[in-house]
């Protein structure tokens, strides 16, 4: 029996509003053009990017949901 994992962080407008992804040094023009945010909930980026200056550890969303990790834009959503 296959168990589906669900995102730990809800994909809500409130969380998107707190999200630091748009301020991250790794968040590039491609990501902006695709309006990509909240990778910890929605999943990884469809864009190529350079990994540097990750803001995840100080993101209010990550702190609220007590998650630990870097570069969700590459790894994708946190699931349980």
């Amino acid at each position: 029996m296959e168990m589906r994992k669900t995102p730990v962080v809800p994909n809500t407008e409130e969380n998107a509003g707190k999200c630091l992804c748009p301020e991250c040094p790794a968040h590039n023009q491609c990501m902006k053009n695709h309006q990509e945010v909240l990778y910890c909930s929605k999943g990884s980026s469809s864009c190529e990017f350079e990994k540097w200056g990750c803001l995840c550890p100080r993101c209010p969303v990550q702190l609220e949901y007590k998650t630990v990790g870097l570069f969700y834009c590459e790894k994708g959503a946190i699931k349980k």
Side-chain angles (χ1 to χ4, degrees), residues 20-28 32 52-56 71 73:
L20 292 186
C21 291
E23 299 170 31
C24 184
H27 199 263
N28 63 28
K32 290 177 177 123
W52 64 288
C54 184
L55 300 180
C56 290
F71 293 105
C73 50

Side-chain angles (χ1 to χ4, degrees), residues 2 15 17 24-26 30 32 37-38 53-55 65 79-80:
E2 183 182 325
N15 283 338
C24 184
C30 176
K32 290 177 177 123
V37 296
L38 206 59
C54 184
L55 300 180
Y65 289 94
K79 296 186 177 187
K80 64 176 177 176

Side-chain angles (χ1 to χ4, degrees), residues 1-66:
M1 175 180 218
E2 183 182 325
M3 299 288 290
R4 290 187 182 234
K5 294 184 176 186
T6 57
V8 171
V9 178
N11 180 13
T12 64
E13 285 186 40
E14 181 182 359
N15 283 338
K18 296 180 211 174
C19 177
L20 292 186
C21 291
E23 299 170 31
C24 184
H27 199 263
N28 63 28
Q29 193 59 50
C30 176
M31 295 167 162
K32 290 177 177 123
N33 291 346
H34 289 100
Q35 299 177 344
E36 294 182 353
V37 296
L38 206 59
Y39 300 110
C40 61
S41 177
K42 295 180 180 183
S44 60
S45 177
S46 61
C47 301
E48 289 186 27
F49 60 93
E50 214 174 308
K51 285 174 50 176
W52 64 288
C54 184
L55 300 180
C56 290
R58 68 175 200 206
C59 181
V61 177
Q62 182 164 305
L63 295 171
E64 180 178 341
Y65 289 94
K66 297 174 178 59

